[in-house]
Amino acid sequence: LLMYWADNVRMSLTEMGVAMSIGMVTMAVGTLPFGSLSDKWGRKPLILLGGALMAAGLAAMVLATETWHVYILVAVSDFGAAMSNPSVGAMLGDVMRQEERGRVMGAYQTVQGIGNIIGFSALGILYEYVSHETPILVCATALALATAIIALFVKETHAGKDDSGRAAAPASQP
């Protein structure tokens, strides 16, 4: 995104720093409340809405022509991240045994880091050799696809909630 903003939107280094700061402030302010809402409403609704916002905000970035467009789209995308990120971690925690949480979360962070290394390198190659828009659209598509997979194949993990985030009906007694 930084290369795109510099090359296509002609943002200064200061403007890019402001854009990144807007994103970080949005995530810092939104993550805790959305984590609490994840415990109240369930994990899946926030993951789906957050994933949709991230994908839409990122895809729209290729249409940005002004700095203020970037600021708005960064806020939208990172608002989606603030919505979904706590729920993803909580969902992972919901499905593992307590004595394995440290190891599993360590493995999760390691795989995520390796993915970032490989992904940023691949996206840089796409930026250089295909087009400036391609890596942005690839990432937006990957986010949309991951969100669709969660919508179709992942069940709500928060106890007492169904897939819509509503309280599940009590189990019938024999």
Side-chain angles (χ1 to χ4, degrees):
L1 282 175
L2 295 175
M3 293 183 300
Y4 185 83
W5 295 341
D7 292 341
N8 293 63
V9 186
R10 302 285 187 225
M11 290 172 65
S12 69
L13 294 175
T14 301
E15 291 168 329
M16 288 188 281
V18 169
M20 297 302 290
S21 295
I22 288 169
M24 294 302 107
V25 167
T26 302
M27 286 187 26
V29 169
T31 298
L32 185 60
F34 283 117
S36 296
L37 290 174
S38 174
D39 291 335
K40 181 178 180 180
W41 293 344
R43 313 320 185 192
K44 194 171 172 181
L46 293 173
I47 292 171
L48 297 180
L49 183 55
L53 285 173
M54 284 189 290
L58 188 56
M61 196 65 71
V62 300
L63 304 173
T65 58
E66 301 289 334
T67 300
W68 66 271
H69 298 160
V70 170
Y71 292 166
I72 290 170
L73 292 171
V74 165
V76 168
S77 288
D78 286 350
F79 187 76
M83 289 181 101
S84 67
N85 288 352
S87 294
V88 169
M91 186 176 270
L92 188 56
D94 290 343
V95 299
M96 69 181 87
R97 294 193 321 235
Q98 187 171 354
E99 61 272 8
E100 293 182 346
R101 287 186 180 161
R103 183 182 59 79
V104 172
M105 290 307 291
Y108 173 76
Q109 293 293 324
T110 300
V111 169
Q112 189 177 39
I114 291 168
N116 285 339
I117 293 165
I118 294 168
F120 286 135
S121 297
L123 294 172
I125 291 167
L126 290 173
Y127 188 89
E128 183 73 22
Y129 294 107
V130 179
S131 77
H132 292 180
E133 294 79 10
T134 299
I136 296 170
L137 295 174
V138 165
C139 287
T141 301
L143 279 166
L145 182 60
T147 302
I149 289 169
I150 291 168
L152 295 172
F153 300 109
V154 176
K155 295 208 180 289
E156 176 62 61
T157 61
H158 186 52
K161 303 290 179 186
D162 64 15
D163 278 348
S164 68
R166 295 185 299 258
S172 60
Q173 304 243 337

